[in-house]
Amino acid sequence: MSFVIRFAKTEDLESIRAIYNNAVKTSTATLETDERDITAQRHWLAQHNGDPYPCFVAEDRDGIIAGWASLSPYNAKPGYRGAAENSVYVDTRAQGQGIGEALLQALLDDAPQRHIRTIVALISTDNLPSVSLHEKLGFRLIGTLERVGEKFGRDVDVSIFQWHLR
Ligand SMILES: CC(C)(COP(=O)(O)OP(=O)(O)OC[C@H]1O[C@@H](n2cnc3c(N)ncnc32)[C@H](O)[C@@H]1OP(=O)(O)O)[C@@H](O)C(=O)NCCC(=O)NCCS
């Protein structure tokens, strides 16, 4: 699939929301259980305008948003300002075509200009595609929080992965 990676715009709001809400409903990719409404999504996008936390989207040649990736604060305390947590979500119809990798790579390439020098990924241990993607791009396993989450009536282990700017 041919696609471009660019910064998210307000017009992308509904596409970002639809891709995220599908993961909320169907997977442990996020431990969120309530779908995000349009007001919350608008607020979220305003907080990911690149100052300093960005949101990138992958747009296909028909103008359809196939995925998105973002950085968010790792911790609100000022001493953590050089650290961020990442998210990456690809539409189920577009997975396995290099989009997630391109989105995550865009986040890593962009991080230095936002003075972010380390990125933390919290990944449900059963999410093998995400584990593999993050390891491929240089994230290293720090450890696993056992049964720290719960979704769909079962316990979820969450692994902490970390990437450092060289
Ligand atoms: C995880 C996710 C973002 C990967 O995006 P994608 O566009 O499907 O992945 P890509 O085609 O770019 O693949 C890049 C790498 O990811 C890994 N990967 C992707 N799909 C995989 C699969 N089904 N099984 C194992 N590894 C997989 C591989 O390392 C792959 O590299 P390779 O092609 O050299 O083997 C995507 O599956 C997704 O959106 N999943 C649901 C949401 C989610 O889990 N987000 C992460 C929350 S922590």
Side-chain angles (χ1 to χ4, degrees):
M1 181 192 284
S2 155
F3 58 89
V4 294
I5 304 292
R6 60 163 175 78
F7 284 112
K9 300 186 281 200
T10 310
E11 301 90 280
D12 305 321
L13 211 69
E14 276 295 3
S15 302
I16 293 169
R17 191 168 82 97
I19 293 167
Y20 183 67
N21 281 344
N22 184 59
V24 170
K25 285 182 284 186
T26 63
S27 81
T28 55
T30 169
L31 294 188
E32 180 58 83
T33 54
D34 295 330
E35 292 182 52
R36 194 178 275 168
D37 67 25
I38 187 73
T39 306
Q41 186 65 67
R42 190 171 288 116
H43 181 65
W44 183 94
L45 195 55
Q47 290 180 315
H48 292 80
N49 62 358
D51 184 24
Y53 302 104
C55 178
F56 288 94
V57 294
E59 180 177 6
D60 75 12
R61 61 169 61 172
D62 298 320
I64 293 170
I65 302 303
W68 61 270
S70 64
L71 293 182
S72 299
Y74 168 70
N75 188 304
K77 296 187 179 80
Y80 288 108
R81 71 174 73 82
E85 186 181 334
N86 79 293
S87 298
V88 53
Y89 290 86
V90 176
D91 189 319
T92 48
R93 293 164 294 192
Q95 289 176 4
Q97 300 179 72
I99 294 173
E101 181 171 343
L103 283 164
L104 184 54
Q105 189 63 58
L107 282 183
L108 304 186
D109 293 344
D110 177 73
Q113 62 185 292
R114 303 191 192 284
H115 306 289
I116 289 166
R117 49 185 172 67
T118 185
I119 299 176
V120 175
L122 300 176
I123 306 177
S124 298
T125 305
D126 61 359
N127 189 351
L128 300 182
S130 185
V131 168
S132 177
L133 168 62
H134 285 80
E135 286 182 333
K136 184 176 181 183
L137 293 195
F139 284 73
R140 292 288 164 254
L141 178 64
I142 303 301
T144 297
L145 300 165
E146 297 173 343
R147 298 183 297 280
V148 72
E150 188 192 343
K151 194 168 182 183
F152 306 132
R154 57 188 165 82
D155 293 338
V156 180
D157 294 349
V158 175
S159 294
I160 303 166
F161 286 81
Q162 189 175 13
W163 171 89
H164 290 282
L165 180 65
R166 287 171 192 243

